[in-house]
Coordinates of all heavy atoms in Angstrom, one line a residue:
R1 N -36.0 55.4 14.2 CA -34.7 55.0 15.1 C -34.3 53.6 14.8 O -35.0 52.7 14.8 CB -35.2 55.3 16.5 CG -35.4 56.8 16.8 CD -35.8 56.9 18.3 NE -36.9 56.1 18.7 CZ -37.3 56.0 19.9 NH1 -36.7 56.6 20.9 NH2 -38.4 55.4 20.2
K2 N -32.9 53.5 14.7 CA -32.4 52.2 14.7 C -31.3 52.0 15.8 O -30.6 53.0 16.2 CB -31.6 52.1 13.3 CG -32.6 52.1 12.1 CD -31.7 51.9 10.9 CE -32.6 51.8 9.6 NZ -31.9 51.6 8.4
E3 N -31.3 50.8 16.3 CA -30.4 50.5 17.5 C -28.9 50.7 17.0 O -28.5 50.1 16.0 CB -30.7 49.2 18.0 CG -29.9 48.8 19.4 CD -30.2 47.6 19.8 OE1 -31.1 46.8 19.2 OE2 -29.6 47.1 20.8
K4 N -28.2 51.5 17.7 CA -26.8 51.9 17.4 C -25.8 51.0 18.0 O -26.0 50.7 19.3 CB -26.5 53.4 17.6 CG -25.1 53.8 17.2 CD -24.9 55.3 17.5 CE -23.5 55.7 17.1 NZ -23.3 57.2 17.3
K5 N -24.9 50.3 17.4 CA -23.9 49.5 18.1 C -22.6 50.3 18.2 O -22.1 50.9 17.3 CB -23.6 48.2 17.2 CG -24.8 47.3 17.0 CD -25.3 46.8 18.2 CE -26.6 45.9 17.9 NZ -27.1 45.3 19.1
R6 N -22.1 50.3 19.4 CA -20.9 51.1 19.8 C -19.8 50.4 19.3 O -19.6 49.1 19.4 CB -20.8 51.6 21.2 CG -22.1 52.4 21.5 CD -21.9 52.9 23.0 NE -22.9 53.9 23.4 CZ -23.0 55.2 23.1 NH1 -21.9 55.8 22.5 NH2 -24.1 55.9 23.4
K7 N -18.6 51.1 18.9 CA -17.4 50.4 18.4 C -16.4 50.7 19.5 O -16.4 51.7 20.4 CB -16.9 51.1 17.1 CG -17.9 50.9 16.0 CD -18.2 49.4 15.7 CE -19.1 49.2 14.5 NZ -19.4 47.8 14.2
Y8 N -15.4 49.8 19.5 CA -14.3 49.9 20.5 C -13.2 50.8 19.9 O -12.8 50.8 18.7 CB -13.7 48.5 20.7 CG -12.5 48.6 21.7 CD1 -12.6 48.7 23.0 CD2 -11.2 48.5 21.1 CE1 -11.6 48.7 23.9 CE2 -10.1 48.5 22.0 CZ -10.2 48.6 23.3 OH -9.2 48.7 24.2
D9 N -12.6 51.6 20.8 CA -11.5 52.5 20.5 C -10.3 52.2 21.4 O -10.4 51.7 22.5 CB -11.9 54.0 20.8 CG -10.9 55.0 20.2 OD1 -9.7 54.6 20.0 OD2 -11.3 56.1 19.9
S10 N -9.2 52.1 20.7 CA -8.0 51.8 21.3 C -7.6 52.6 22.5 O -6.8 52.2 23.4 CB -6.7 51.7 20.3 OG -6.6 52.9 19.7
D11 N -8.2 53.9 22.6 CA -7.8 54.7 23.6 C -8.5 54.3 24.9 O -8.2 54.7 26.0 CB -8.2 56.1 23.3 CG -7.5 56.9 22.1 OD1 -6.3 56.3 22.0 OD2 -8.0 57.7 21.5
Y12 N -9.6 53.2 24.7 CA -10.3 52.9 25.9 C -9.2 52.0 26.9 O -9.6 51.8 28.0 CB -11.4 52.0 25.6 CG -12.6 52.8 24.9 CD1 -13.4 52.2 24.2 CD2 -12.6 54.2 25.1 CE1 -14.5 53.0 23.7 CE2 -13.5 54.9 24.5 CZ -14.5 54.3 23.7 OH -15.6 55.0 23.2
L13 N -8.2 51.6 26.3 CA -7.2 50.8 27.2 C -6.6 51.7 28.3 O -6.3 51.2 29.2 CB -6.1 50.2 26.3 CG -5.2 49.2 26.9 CD1 -5.9 48.0 27.5 CD2 -4.1 48.7 25.9
Q14 N -6.5 52.9 28.1 CA -6.1 53.9 29.1 C -7.0 53.8 30.3 O -6.5 54.2 31.4 CB -5.9 55.2 28.6 CG -4.8 55.4 27.6 CD -4.8 56.8 27.0 OE1 -5.5 57.6 27.4 NE2 -3.7 57.0 26.1
L15 N -8.2 53.4 30.0 CA -9.2 53.4 31.1 C -9.3 51.9 31.7 O -10.2 51.7 32.5 CB -10.6 53.8 30.7 CG -10.7 55.2 30.1 CD1 -12.1 55.5 29.5 CD2 -10.3 56.3 31.1
G16 N -8.5 51.0 31.2 CA -8.4 49.6 31.8 C -9.4 48.7 31.0 O -9.7 47.8 31.6
F17 N -9.8 49.0 29.8 CA -10.7 48.2 29.2 C -10.3 47.8 27.8 O -9.8 48.7 27.0 CB -12.0 49.0 28.9 CG -13.0 48.8 30.2 CD1 -12.8 49.7 31.1 CD2 -13.8 47.8 30.4 CE1 -13.6 49.6 32.3 CE2 -14.6 47.6 31.5 CZ -14.5 48.6 32.5
H18 N -10.4 46.5 27.4 CA -10.1 45.9 26.1 C -11.6 45.5 25.7 O -12.6 45.8 26.2 CB -9.2 44.7 26.2 CG -8.7 44.3 24.9 ND1 -8.2 45.1 23.9 CD2 -8.8 43.0 24.3 CE1 -7.8 44.4 22.8 NE2 -8.2 43.1 23.1
F19 N -11.7 44.7 24.5 CA -12.9 44.2 24.0 C -13.0 42.8 23.8 O -11.9 42.1 23.7 CB -13.4 45.0 22.8 CG -12.7 44.4 21.5 CD1 -13.1 43.5 20.7 CD2 -11.3 45.0 21.2 CE1 -12.5 43.0 19.6 CE2 -10.6 44.5 20.1 CZ -11.2 43.6 19.3
T20 N -14.1 42.3 23.9 CA -14.2 40.7 23.6 C -15.5 40.6 22.8 O -16.3 41.3 22.7 CB -14.5 40.0 24.9 OG1 -14.4 38.6 24.6 CG2 -15.6 40.3 25.6
G21 N -15.6 39.4 22.1 CA -16.7 39.0 21.3 C -16.5 39.5 20.0 O -15.4 39.7 19.4
D22 N -17.6 39.6 19.2 CA -17.6 40.0 17.7 C -17.2 41.4 17.6 O -17.7 42.3 18.3 CB -18.9 39.6 17.1 CG -19.0 39.9 15.5 OD1 -17.7 40.0 15.0 OD2 -20.0 39.5 15.0
E23 N -16.4 41.7 16.5 CA -16.0 43.1 16.3 C -17.2 44.0 15.9 O -17.1 45.2 16.0 CB -14.9 43.1 15.2 CG -13.5 42.5 15.7 CD -12.6 42.7 14.6 OE1 -12.9 43.3 13.5 OE2 -11.4 42.2 14.9
S24 N -18.2 43.4 15.2 CA -19.4 44.2 15.0 C -20.2 44.6 16.1 O -21.0 45.6 16.1 CB -20.2 43.3 14.0 OG -20.7 42.2 14.6
E25 N -20.1 43.8 17.2 CA -20.8 44.2 18.5 C -19.8 43.9 19.6 O -20.1 42.9 20.4 CB -22.1 43.4 18.5 CG -22.9 43.9 19.8 CD -24.3 43.1 19.8 OE1 -24.6 42.2 18.9 OE2 -25.0 43.4 20.8

């Protein structure tokens, strides 16, 4: 098992969320 890093999706902005920090995490 390897720890999985989730990616940001532009559709998340409809839920009121953007992203911050490194794009890899």
Side-chain angles (χ1 to χ4, degrees):
R1 288 184 301 176
K2 294 183 179 179
E3 187 178 357
K4 184 178 180 181
K5 301 298 181 182
R6 298 185 177 276
K7 302 298 182 180
Y8 175 79
D9 193 334
S10 59
D11 293 337
Y12 292 161
L13 187 59
Q14 294 179 354
L15 301 175
F17 276 89
H18 191 56
F19 75 94
T20 183
D22 191 1
E23 293 184 358
S24 61
E25 188 179 355

